[in-house]
Amino acid sequence: MPNKPPRICACGHRVAAGVRCPCERKADTERKARHDRQRPNSSARGYNGTWERECKAFLRKNRRCKRCGGAASLVDHITPHRGDTPLFWDRQNWQPLCTNCHSSAKQREERRSSTEDLK
Ligand SMILES: [Zn+2]
Ligand SMILES: [Zn+2]
């Protein structure tokens, strides 16, 4: 196997063949961190099977939308759980909502948090 000559990285560093330049390693780490942030956290992963099942069970007992009294079709968190697992699964923090009420509630909440961001 002939030795490969070192290469010159885009940043100007001279790097041995097959080795990541520090700037590339940094970029890798940042890319990975970005990826990890995008990956749902453990409570959001709870949105899969278990959540679906618990939602349906909850809605079987709570058929009416908490706000308008219409047919509830989803479970909403009264206090936003923001990744807080115990709060996420706390039935006291669940309320049955219809899609309309849910989307208007969420819109209000998003407006509230976006004004908080501006502070
Ligand atoms: Zn470099
Ligand atoms: Zn409703």
Side-chain angles (χ1 to χ4, degrees):
M1 283 280 280
N3 276 341
K4 283 191 193 144
R7 63 194 175 87
I8 305 296
C9 170
C11 74
H13 259 96
R14 204 177 151 83
V15 221
V19 172
R20 305 288 279 166
C21 169
C23 81
E24 291 171 326
R25 268 206 294 272
K26 192 163 170 282
D28 285 349
T29 313
E30 278 163 9
R31 199 177 312 125
K32 189 177 176 301
R34 236 189 344 263
H35 184 80
D36 285 348
R37 270 200 299 279
Q38 280 165 1
R39 208 158 44 197
N41 60 25
S42 55
S43 69
R45 276 201 293 272
Y47 268 121
N48 57 30
T50 317
W51 170 246
E52 291 284 316
R53 209 165 49 238
E54 295 299 312
C55 261
K56 287 202 178 95
F58 184 81
L59 289 173
R60 267 198 297 275
K61 287 179 231 158
N62 306 274
R63 293 171 183 276
R64 296 281 147 211
C65 171
K66 198 91 180 188
R67 284 165 192 264
C68 71
S73 54
L74 47 84
V75 175
D76 183 50
H77 289 91
I78 299 164
T79 305
H81 59 86
R82 302 195 196 287
D84 181 337
T85 312
L87 192 59
F88 182 95
W89 292 111
D90 184 359
R91 304 298 190 275
Q92 306 299 314
N93 191 36
W94 292 12
Q95 61 182 347
L97 287 185
C98 72
T99 330
N100 279 341
C101 290
H102 180 258
S103 51
S104 59
K106 286 302 129 185
Q107 268 160 23
R108 243 195 325 280
E109 193 180 290
E110 267 150 36
R111 262 202 300 280
R112 203 189 311 146
S113 58
S114 62
T115 50
E116 269 166 17
D117 289 346
L118 294 173
K119 273 181 209 162

